[in-house]
Amino acid sequence: DADVTQTPRNRITKTGKRIMLECSQTKGHDRMYWYRQDPGLGLRLIYYSFDVKDINKGEISDGYSVSRQAQAKFSLSLESAIPNQTALYFCATSDPGTAGGYTFGSGTRLTVV
Amino acid sequence: AQSVTQLGSHVSVSEGALVLLRCNYSSSVPPYLFWYVQYPNQGLQLLLKYTSAATLVKGINGFEAEFKKSETSFHLTKPSAHMSDAAEYFCAVRLSGSARQLTFGSGTQLTVLP
């Protein structure tokens, strides 16, 4: 099993629908992140969580919400999807060491029509 | 504040030629620097990282990068490109001693020509 698992892998949804993207990890890391990737823009941080009780907004949190159900689970919701939220979404966890990089999931490709 | 600039959104090299992908950073304190690679339809994989130890960092698949504080650069190189190196590469920066959010560059798509 992958260290960081994202579901679904692909999703097409209609404008105005609510959708949830899920992420679970077996790394035992406290810190989890949601990024979106758009061509030519790299990855931009949506939300991050340092532990179950600590949720923080990233640079592009408008239109998104998150839930940290447990140390291992971090979900991203689009309350009312719009076409410009069409993107590739990545969940990541960070190494507990002070200099660690991130471990990424395989991504969820979301299309809003 | 921290930021990363990757020069060249697309780079093409011939198989066997030198690969050079450029990354410049801006950081108010000593940074940690990373290079990630993304193969088609996959997530990001860590290639290498600089964490204030040796300035020349060796990573996986024959890649290396050199931290140059005077030039605020962390360019990625590989002496001889292989077809399997074709992918998108991202440079990222994180402030040392702070919360661990990574800031990514916009990415460089590497094409390897036969």
Side-chain angles (χ1 to χ4, degrees):
Chain A
D1 289 342
D3 292 329
V4 181
T5 301
Q6 291 184 235
T7 56
R9 289 297 309 273
N10 292 279
R11 179 72 181 267
I12 300 174
T13 192
K14 294 183 177 181
T15 298
K17 293 291 187 181
R18 183 179 188 275
I19 182 170
M20 178 181 289
L21 309 183
E22 300 188 0
C23 176
S24 62
Q25 53 117 343
T26 59
K27 299 286 287 185
H29 292 165
D30 288 328
R31 301 190 175 200
M32 298 185 73
Y33 309 81
W34 276 104
Y35 282 86
R36 66 176 279 176
Q37 183 182 13
D38 299 277
L41 296 179
L43 280 76
R44 292 178 293 167
L45 183 63
I46 305 172
Y47 270 95
Y48 60 101
S49 170
F50 290 166
D51 63 41
V52 174
K53 298 180 181 179
D54 185 12
I55 304 290
N56 303 278
K57 292 183 177 181
E59 61 180 297
I60 55 164
S61 59
D62 288 348
Y64 301 95
S65 62
V66 291
S67 173
R68 186 80 183 267
Q69 301 94 325
Q71 187 211 33
K73 295 184 182 295
F74 191 36
S75 300
L76 176 72
S77 293
L78 287 67
E79 297 301 326
S80 179
I82 57 176
N84 76 2
Q85 291 177 312
T86 294
L88 187 56
Y89 290 85
F90 285 104
C91 174
T93 71
S94 67
D95 191 293
T98 58
Y102 287 7
T103 301
F104 282 85
S106 297
T108 294
R109 186 168 296 281
L110 177 66
T111 303
V112 183
V113 297
Chain B
Q2 57 194 42
S3 66
V4 173
T5 301
Q6 291 184 241
L7 299 177
S9 58
H10 292 84
V11 171
S12 293
V13 300
S14 297
E15 191 173 18
L18 172 71
V19 176
L20 171 61
L21 304 182
R22 300 179 186 274
C23 173
N24 288 88
Y25 69 91
S26 171
S27 174
S28 57
V29 298
Y32 294 146
L33 294 159
F34 304 81
W35 275 100
Y36 284 85
V37 60
Q38 183 182 27
Y39 298 104
N41 300 313
Q42 295 187 25
L44 278 73
Q45 178 183 357
L46 182 66
L47 268 179
L48 48 80
K49 62 183 180 183
Y50 166 77
T51 58
S52 74
T55 57
L56 182 62
V57 181
K58 294 187 183 298
I60 62 173
N61 302 335
F63 284 94
E64 62 182 34
E66 185 172 8
F67 172 70
K68 292 186 176 180
K69 184 178 179 180
S70 61
E71 299 176 7
T72 61
S73 68
F74 190 57
H75 301 332
L76 181 70
T77 61
K78 183 175 180 177
S80 177
H82 191 273
M83 296 297 289
S84 61
D85 294 327
E88 189 157 22
Y89 293 79
F90 293 93
C91 183
V93 63
R94 197 189 86 214
L95 299 182
S96 59
S98 75
R100 299 179 190 118
Q101 300 96 293
L102 282 178
T103 297
F104 286 85
S106 56
T108 298
Q109 182 68 47
L110 176 66
T111 299
V112 181
L113 305 171

